[in-house]
Amino acid sequence: MNKVLQGKAWTFGDNINTDLMYPHACYTLPEEERPRHTMWANRPGWAGQVNSGDILVAGKNFGVGSSRPAASNLKGLGISVVVAESVNGLFLRNSVNVGLPVVSCPGVSGIVREGDTVTVSMDTGKLVNETSGKATEFKPLPGFLMDIIEAGGIIEVLRKNGQIDSNPL
Amino acid sequence: MESALRNEWYCVPWKVLLLNIVEKIFQDHSENPVQRVEPGDIVNVKVDKVIMLDIAGLHPELLNNPPKKPFDRDKIAMIFDHFVPAPNVEVASGVSKLRKLAKRWDIGNFFDYGRGGISHTFAAERGWFLPGRIVANTDSHSIAAGAYNMLSRGLGTPELMQVICTGKTWYIVGETIKVNLTGKLTGAAEAKDIFLRMAGDMGDIPNTNIEFGGTGIASLSVDQRAVITTMCAELSADFAVFPHDSVLESYLDGRAEAPYRPVTADKDETYTLTSEFDMSEIRPMVAMPDHVAGNTRPAADIHGSRIDQATIGSCANGRLDDLASAARILKGRKVAKDVRLIVTPATQSIYLKADELGYLRIIAEAGGVVTNPTCGACMGGHMGLLGEGDVAITSTTRNFKGRMGSRDARIYMASSATVAASAVNGYITDPGDILGVNSGE
Ligand code: SF4
């Protein structure tokens, strides 16, 4: 994976929860249709506007909620990285395990407006708003987690280790 | 959060490293012997048990890529809880595949419809939750297990697959705050209200652990403690633990599936922060719609808000205490004409006990619907979803927009007593008003 991610920012507020990202209806839809319902309750229509490589910038407590595969929906839409004021620990795990980078960056919502072009350097922990010229820093993800992300998620790691059954259920 | 204090201890070689409960359990389970664990570290730990749920049957990533072999079949349990019984063909087909998997792996601890209950409430009942343990479960409210002086937290399904293969997982060690509970609950206030009050005052605390203490905890039953720890998921806490004491000891007596070793925090352990709540001052509370942390108010403040549906249930509040509380309020009363009341016990044994004690009959006679044990409406799966424009009050765990059905519904969250009282009046009501314990205030 490219460690310097650049894309157009979508901004969200505080307490964006997993149920908004992965509405209940997703559970029973064909896998490829699920991402289209992301943020159905709080921002209907948004999912259809996201382009591959876009960046999601959010407020505090991002991803509070359940273990449902909310990060998979964001990844499925093409979001390349989530940058939030603070991130729920379960969301972080789920995100890493499906190969979607997510970082906590206190102060980010103050320097990014929707539509700005943002560059996020996963290695150095630098975030630059190319549109306004403003910049800030965040603590890069530990190497242990970056390794899982770079492998494409935990299932890929298991597959590589020969731990997946070739007989689906 | 600052951890300078802690580092100072290391610099003084003759001081013994002080650890809190969470850190001690991490250290005990660490795959490689570690000298110390401290906030910010990643620890690789061995787990004592793994719990898999019916909801895994809706995860194609698992169904298409099942783990070849569990690390230890005796340490894996499968419990069907979210969609019991299957509400649609997709769920029915998904869980059938899991039944096949249980056979393929030869899992003994398999609890199908009518035999178990909501996973962590049921696991506690079975005596699987023991001091010092780490249990892996996908459910985000697994944090409940902290009431039993142990650790569990939500994990994703792909991650659970890894734990099933290896028996191991990792945690990032968070800072720990101490919450001291003093005094004793009075009037119509319940354990849920303690949490709602905490949630209002503390707000969200991502990546942080809570250790409960204080002179008041001895007055709380293990079930009441579990209500509080379950709900701490809504603060984004990683773990929320209670110490071991005589209350827990008697709960585990004759129930524990194995011997256990209680975990105590070192005496002088310093916490990042200490807060205190006097339980005797806590009144019935309500979380306003959409989110929990920093969004709660006394029920009396929103007295009179009209409701269409009232729900009692969930892993947190589908307990015997909750059904008793509902029955106490509903006895000799009726659910308001324009309100639907739905009551969902958390486990099969709670259901049976509530039946024996006559609670289910009282609820039904009052015009309430009693369902079989399941997560049901809590996660918008089945058993009473909300339609457009509905206003609900629920004693379940989450009030997120769209969670229980339509995105245009509004969800208030409260204790089971507050929900039952509101069902009787047809509007949000402090249960103390109905029980006559609010006079003189
Ligand atoms: S009752 Fe609700 S919160 Fe508890 S496990 Fe079920 S869906 Fe999750």
Side-chain angles (χ1 to χ4, degrees):
Chain A
M1 142 200 178
N2 191 347
K3 298 230 184 121
V4 178
L5 303 160
Q6 189 176 80
K8 191 179 101 144
W10 293 101
T11 57
F12 284 81
D14 295 340
N15 299 309
I16 297 298
N17 65 61
T18 53
D19 300 35
L20 297 174
M21 292 184 246
Y22 193 93
H24 188 271
C26 289
Y27 273 119
T28 46
L29 289 171
E31 215 178 346
E32 60 290 354
E33 281 175 34
R34 298 179 184 191
R36 277 189 240 152
H37 299 264
T38 315
M39 312 286 188
W40 161 84
N42 56 329
R43 207 165 160 180
W46 174 74
Q49 299 167 267
V50 179
N51 290 309
S52 182
D54 287 356
I55 289 173
L56 196 153
V57 173
K60 68 184 178 73
N61 202 18
F62 186 83
V64 60
S66 79
S67 52
R68 58 183 71 191
S72 305
N73 264 6
L74 296 181
K75 196 178 176 198
L77 289 177
I79 295 289
S80 64
V81 58
V82 175
V83 187
E85 295 282 333
S86 62
V87 178
N88 172 282
L90 174 52
F91 183 81
L92 171 84
R93 302 180 84 90
N94 281 337
S95 209
V96 166
N97 283 321
V98 298
L100 172 69
V102 52
V103 293
S104 298
C105 180
V108 67
S109 34
I111 64 160
V112 177
R113 283 183 311 181
E114 188 146 294
D116 289 352
T117 297
V118 174
T119 306
V120 183
S121 305
M122 294 304 294
D123 270 350
T124 57
K126 283 214 160 51
L127 182 145
V128 179
N129 182 337
E130 307 291 348
T131 310
S132 68
K134 289 184 186 149
T136 187
E137 289 184 1
F138 60 88
K139 203 167 144 213
L141 285 177
F144 179 80
L145 303 187
M146 279 309 289
D147 288 348
I148 303 174
I149 294 174
E150 285 181 79
I154 195 70
I155 295 181
E156 291 315 313
V157 175
L158 296 177
R159 201 187 310 281
K160 220 170 66 202
N161 295 343
Q163 288 165 311
I164 294 294
D165 202 323
S166 46
N167 286 322
L169 287 161
Chain B
M1 289 184 190
E2 198 48 68
S3 59
L5 236 189
R6 184 185 303 272
N7 291 332
E8 236 164 68
W9 288 109
Y10 300 138
C11 306
V12 188
W14 45 268
K15 287 266 188 204
V16 187
L17 175 72
L18 300 174
L19 297 174
N20 58 47
I21 296 176
V22 174
E23 292 164 345
K24 276 197 181 172
I25 300 177
F26 281 156
Q27 194 163 21
D28 274 0
H29 286 74
S30 176
E31 187 185 1
N32 306 305
V34 276
Q35 287 291 314
R36 58 177 200 234
V37 290
E38 58 180 316
D41 287 354
I42 295 183
V43 279
N44 285 294
V45 297
K46 293 183 247 170
V47 306
D48 299 302
K49 208 177 259 304
V50 185
I51 299 176
M52 199 172 169
L53 312 177
D54 57 349
I55 204 151
L58 294 175
H59 284 261
E61 68 272 33
L62 168 83
L63 302 178
N64 299 335
N65 308 283
K68 224 182 236 168
K69 194 167 140 326
F71 76 104
D72 181 346
R73 65 174 278 281
D74 295 329
K75 289 190 176 161
I76 313 252
M78 206 184 272
I79 304 174
F80 287 179
D81 60 359
H82 281 70
F83 304 98
V84 174
N88 55 45
V89 181
E90 290 83 359
V91 170
S93 308
V95 294
S96 285
K97 291 184 176 176
L98 294 182
R99 291 187 183 105
K100 212 166 118 190
L101 187 62
K103 286 221 172 82
R104 194 189 275 184
W105 288 347
D106 190 21
I107 294 179
N109 277 324
F110 173 43
F111 299 90
D112 210 319
Y113 303 165
R115 267 134 302 169
I118 305 178
S119 70
H120 25 94
T121 321
F122 176 68
E125 264 177 15
R126 298 283 292 192
W128 295 351
F129 283 175
L130 299 178
R133 280 193 166 177
I134 294 183
V135 171
N137 181 345
T138 47
D139 197 85
S140 56
H141 289 96
S142 300
I143 185 173
Y148 311 86
N149 191 230
M150 57 162 285
L151 304 183
S152 188
R153 63 154 305 146
L155 307 170
T157 295
E159 185 165 9
L160 196 82
M161 293 165 58
Q162 186 216 11
V163 185
I164 288 170
C165 295
T166 63
K168 289 176 220 153
T169 188
W170 54 270
Y171 297 115
I172 303 176
V173 184
E175 301 273 356
T176 300
I177 63 177
K178 182 85 185 276
V179 173
N180 286 323
L181 302 176
T182 61
K184 226 172 124 176
L185 282 174
T186 58
E190 302 198 331
K192 185 71 158 278
D193 299 307
I194 303 172
F195 167 77
L196 290 169
R197 177 63 194 280
M198 276 174 60
D201 289 8
M202 292 169 48
D204 56 288
I205 48 163
N207 315 308
T208 306
N209 310 307
I210 300 176
E211 189 177 311
F212 288 95
T215 50
I217 56 173
S219 71
L220 295 172
S221 71
V222 173
D223 269 0
Q224 288 177 306
R225 296 172 189 190
V227 172
I228 299 173
T229 54
T230 306
M231 293 305 303
C232 285
E234 301 322 304
L235 306 182
S236 276
D238 275 349
F239 297 100
V241 289
F242 272 82
H244 179 265
D245 64 359
S246 57
V247 177
L248 179 56
E249 195 178 315
S250 13
Y251 176 87
L252 294 173
D253 198 19
R255 184 193 300 266
E257 67 161 353
Y260 60 89
R261 215 159 37 120
V263 186
T264 322
D266 289 322
K267 221 167 158 211
D268 297 309
E269 167 64 11
T270 50
Y271 297 86
T272 312
L273 200 90
T274 302
S275 24
E276 188 173 305
F277 293 89
D278 179 353
M279 295 187 284
S280 62
E281 285 175 1
I282 290 172
R283 295 286 165 269
M285 301 283 296
V286 174
M288 305 298 285
D290 297 350
H291 64 275
V292 182
N295 194 30
T296 70
R297 289 209 217 154
D301 284 12
I302 48 164
H303 176 92
S305 305
R306 182 194 65 81
I307 56 159
D308 302 297
Q309 183 161 307
T311 323
I312 292 174
S314 83
C315 51
N317 289 100
R319 296 169 190 273
L320 197 62
D321 285 352
D322 296 282
L323 303 176
S325 181
R328 186 153 77 112
I329 288 169
L330 294 167
K331 189 160 187 166
R333 298 191 176 88
K334 289 272 180 234
V335 172
K337 185 164 78 35
D338 296 330
V339 173
R340 294 100 59 181
L341 170 68
I342 296 163
V343 180
T344 301
T347 67
Q348 193 77 3
S349 73
I350 294 171
Y351 180 96
L352 288 168
K353 190 82 197 159
D355 179 42
E356 193 186 310
L357 294 169
Y359 302 156
L360 304 185
R361 187 173 183 97
I362 294 172
I363 295 165
E365 277 176 355
V369 173
V370 179
T371 78
N372 61 285
T374 177
C375 291
C378 175
M379 52 119 38
H382 59 147
M383 302 283 184
L385 304 197
L386 301 174
E388 268 173 45
D390 274 346
V391 180
I393 185 161
T394 183
S395 72
T396 55
T397 60
R398 289 190 171 128
N399 57 353
F400 300 163
K401 198 175 174 57
R403 174 155 175 108
M404 298 177 81
S406 166
R407 64 185 168 200
D408 300 316
R410 285 171 68 72
I411 309 170
Y412 293 88
M413 190 176 78
S415 73
S416 295
T418 303
V419 172
S422 306
V424 167
N425 281 351
Y427 49 81
I428 293 179
T429 301
D430 179 326
D433 291 351
I434 287 197
L435 294 169
V437 295
N438 283 348
S439 53
E441 273 181 26

